[in-house]
Amino acid sequence: MPDALPPLDDLVACPQCDTLHQATDLPDNARAYCQRCGIVLMTSQPAAIARILSLALTAFIMMIAAISFPFLTLDAGGLHNATSVIDAVLAFDEGLAIPLAIAVAFFIMGIPLIRLGALIYALGPLVREQPIRVGARKAFGLAETLRPWSMAEIFIVGVTVALIKVAGMAAVTIGPAFWAFAGVVVITVLKDQLICRYSIWEALEQKAG
């Protein structure tokens, strides 16, 4: 007769490949990795949540900068044009293209800002070792739910490809918003690699209790 499974509360599902692992207490400053795909499952590093919060705050500030400053400028045939991310969205503000403008704004700007804001809201009290805010677990769950729908990295890749094609026809000057957007993408990828969802859920449960 096969061995019985441990209680469900003692099982951890890998967020990448769904492989089940049995949760166990880790020594200080240790990490547990998925046996199949190698992603971090659990961590006992006290400073890990503080690092994630710092990255989220940095990415949030850089995202505001990416929206506020010029993205790039084009000079061709004596004409000069500076474009921001908002200008790119407003380019589709007529007729049947309006839904496209709304979708672009939501996936490129709205979802990344909502995700980062939800993380900051949920993790802030944990870093200060205070009781969690009302709705903190829902905020963290929202951030996780929206993770596959954040399209900032796709936008920056598309812009880079377009710049390569346009470079031969016009003088292109990359603005500060481009580098801010690229920084958001890099920091977001790094944050998502460092984040230990199980440990955060456990910390939120303990503070809520």
Side-chain angles (χ1 to χ4, degrees):
M1 183 175 178
D3 295 336
L5 286 173
L8 292 179
D9 290 342
D10 293 339
L11 294 177
V12 181
C14 173
Q16 187 74 24
C17 65
D18 293 327
T19 301
L20 291 177
H21 302 75
Q22 185 169 357
T24 184
D25 293 332
L26 298 176
D28 291 340
N29 297 317
R31 289 183 176 183
Y33 297 88
C34 176
Q35 295 180 352
R36 175 179 291 180
C37 67
I39 197 170
V40 175
L41 289 177
M42 302 170 59
T43 179
S44 63
Q45 297 177 334
I49 294 179
R51 285 196 209 100
I52 295 167
L53 179 61
S54 298
L55 290 172
L57 283 167
T58 302
F60 190 90
I61 294 171
M62 293 182 73
M63 191 68 191
I64 297 299
I67 296 172
S68 304
F69 292 103
F71 195 83
L72 56 85
T73 58
L74 296 174
D75 291 283
L79 298 176
H80 177 84
N81 186 28
T83 304
S84 66
V85 176
I86 295 178
D87 291 332
V89 172
L90 294 179
F92 305 99
D93 65 347
E94 294 182 0
L96 297 177
I98 291 178
L100 178 60
I102 295 173
V104 170
F106 186 64
F107 287 110
I108 293 176
M109 297 184 291
I111 288 181
L113 285 173
I114 292 171
R115 279 197 70 212
L116 294 169
L119 276 177
I120 294 168
Y121 180 85
L123 301 186
L126 294 180
V127 174
R128 299 192 298 270
E129 297 185 354
Q130 297 176 350
I132 63 173
R133 298 186 177 104
V134 176
R137 285 175 291 181
K138 290 183 179 179
F140 184 68
L142 176 63
E144 287 298 292
T145 301
L146 292 178
R147 183 163 57 95
W149 300 99
S150 181
M151 302 294 179
E153 62 273 16
I154 296 176
F155 174 73
I156 203 70
V157 170
V159 169
T160 302
V161 172
L163 288 177
I164 293 173
K165 294 183 177 181
V166 172
M169 299 181 290
V172 180
T173 303
I174 295 175
F178 178 91
W179 300 114
F181 224 112
V184 169
V185 172
V186 172
I187 291 172
T188 300
V189 171
L190 179 61
K191 171 182 61 62
D192 288 342
Q193 290 296 319
L194 290 177
I195 197 169
C196 175
R197 294 161 184 85
Y198 177 83
S199 300
I200 292 176
W201 280 121
E202 285 291 301
L204 290 173
E205 289 290 341
Q206 292 173 6
K207 292 293 183 180

